[in-house]
Amino acid sequence: MSIQQLFSLSGDVALVTGAGRGIGRGIAIAFAEAGASVICAARTQTDIDECAALCNAALDEHHPNSGAKAIALSCDVSDESALEELVKKSAEAFGKISILVNNAGGAYPNDPLKTTGKTFNRDFNFNVTSAFNLTRLCHPFLEEYRGRVINIISASSRYSQAGFSSYGTAKAALEHLTKLLAADFAPTIRVNGISPGTILTEALGQYLNEEIQEKMTALTPMKALGEPQDIAAAALYLASTASRWVTGKIIEVDGGAESTTWPF
């Protein structure tokens, strides 16, 4: 098999959560460029409509006669019944799900003395329980099609830094969940994760100005911040046959950082 064939996703159907913007959008488009049909899922319909349109444009350009397509399905991953509906509609549209990317997640920096248990549990559920539930719901399809699950984690899962007791804890739990599910589902389903460092997305942009970005760049060994496509490239590897002998692993895509680049 050629290298090009190893990285092809032709015939696959990928469900990507948090696909409206940033990393999720980058992954969805990369998968379409590789030939997969893509279900773009997120809460904001206009965002995922845009993402699906970009995916369909990529399919038209690179795989014009494949029959693959992208669709947009609105979903709040924190709502288990909404996840059930998402899987149902995905199956109705394509008859299969062979790749699942649990990308939806996030939380604001927090002061632990001002964070209630309710807020802490909300962040945990958004980042961890949602991924667990969607993986469980997709399992019959993933089992049938020798599927792949990719969880988007965060460098915050391993850094000791102030202000991240909620988000960092949740992402650390998601990292270990990735390894445990890999053991549960091997050899039929491969489960891996990607741990991004500082990626230039709309979510990060709300905290950035020129001075802060320069400080974060200086703290990164590669002297540059990441782009969504950097994570998409790693996701393509984990989704494709190229990584057929990889499960239960976390790929760190972080510009070489071994400690926080958060300058506050």
Side-chain angles (χ1 to χ4, degrees), residues 2-23:
S2 70
I3 285 293
Q4 187 174 9
Q5 289 172 318
L6 281 176
F7 282 90
S8 172
L9 299 183
S10 293
D12 277 308
V13 175
L15 171 53
V16 182
T17 67
R21 299 183 182 185
I23 289 172

Side-chain angles (χ1 to χ4, degrees), residues 45-113:
Q45 189 68 49
T46 54
D47 288 345
I48 52 175
D49 285 341
E50 283 183 12
C51 184
L54 291 168
C55 290
N56 280 317
L59 285 164
D60 289 342
E61 179 180 355
H62 299 287
H63 307 275
N65 301 311
S66 67
K69 65 177 181 178
I71 63 172
L73 295 177
S74 178
C75 178
D76 178 354
V77 298
S78 297
D79 182 343
E80 190 169 345
S81 63
L83 292 177
E84 292 171 354
E85 188 68 13
L86 173 63
V87 174
K88 178 184 175 182
K89 289 181 177 178
S90 298
E92 289 172 350
F94 295 106
K96 68 185 287 188
I97 300 169
S98 54
I99 301 167
L100 170 62
V101 180
N102 288 306
N103 169 68
Y108 289 106
N110 71 299
D111 179 343
L113 299 182

Side-chain angles (χ1 to χ4, degrees), residues 91 116 130 135 141-142 144 154 187 214-215 250:
T116 65
S130 63
T135 303
F141 300 100
L142 297 168
E144 181 176 357
S154 170
E214 286 178 356
K215 287 181 179 179
I250 312 300

Side-chain angles (χ1 to χ4, degrees), residues 151-162:
N151 293 325
I152 304 303
I153 304 168
S154 170
S156 297
S157 68
R158 67 183 191 275
Y159 293 164
S160 297
Q161 56 184 333

Side-chain angles (χ1 to χ4, degrees), residues 35 41 45 127 129 171 174 184 219:
Q45 189 68 49
N127 289 277
T129 308
K171 288 300 189 180
L174 181 59
D184 283 326
L219 291 167

Side-chain angles (χ1 to χ4, degrees), residues 29-230:
I29 295 169
F31 283 6
E33 290 180 352
S37 290
V38 184
I39 301 130
C40 306
R43 286 178 288 192
T44 305
Q45 189 68 49
T46 54
D47 288 345
I48 52 175
D49 285 341
E50 283 183 12
C51 184
L54 291 168
C55 290
N56 280 317
L59 285 164
D60 289 342
E61 179 180 355
H62 299 287
H63 307 275
N65 301 311
S66 67
K69 65 177 181 178
I71 63 172
L73 295 177
S74 178
C75 178
D76 178 354
V77 298
S78 297
D79 182 343
E80 190 169 345
S81 63
L83 292 177
E84 292 171 354
E85 188 68 13
L86 173 63
V87 174
K88 178 184 175 182
K89 289 181 177 178
S90 298
E92 289 172 350
F94 295 106
K96 68 185 287 188
I97 300 169
S98 54
I99 301 167
L100 170 62
V101 180
N102 288 306
N103 169 68
Y108 289 106
N110 71 299
D111 179 343
L113 299 182
K114 297 178 180 178
T115 302
T116 65
K118 181 178 180 180
T119 298
F120 188 87
N121 287 335
R122 179 202 65 195
D123 293 345
F124 189 92
N125 289 336
F126 185 35
N127 289 277
V128 186
T129 308
S130 63
F132 176 83
N133 279 333
L134 188 52
T135 303
R136 173 177 56 82
L137 291 167
C138 288
H139 181 270
F141 300 100
L142 297 168
E143 180 79 13
E144 181 176 357
Y145 295 102
R146 300 192 67 84
R148 290 123 280 160
V149 179
I150 302 167
N151 293 325
I152 304 303
I153 304 168
S154 170
S156 297
S157 68
R158 67 183 191 275
Y159 293 164
S160 297
Q161 56 184 333
F164 286 83
S165 59
S166 184
Y167 181 65
T169 298
K171 288 300 189 180
L174 181 59
E175 179 171 325
H176 200 53
L177 176 65
T178 300
K179 298 174 182 179
L180 295 174
L181 291 180
D184 283 326
F185 297 155
T188 310
I189 301 168
R190 295 191 293 106
V191 186
N192 291 290
I194 302 171
S195 182
T198 305
I199 306 296
L200 289 167
T201 62
E202 295 92 334
L204 177 64
Q206 62 187 308
Y207 300 106
L208 293 184
N209 56 36
E210 186 175 345
E211 180 184 2
I212 292 172
Q213 185 166 334
E214 286 178 356
K215 287 181 179 179
M216 297 179 86
T217 300
L219 291 167
T220 304
M222 288 296 290
K223 303 307 178 191
L225 302 186
E227 302 280 353
Q229 194 172 49
D230 295 317

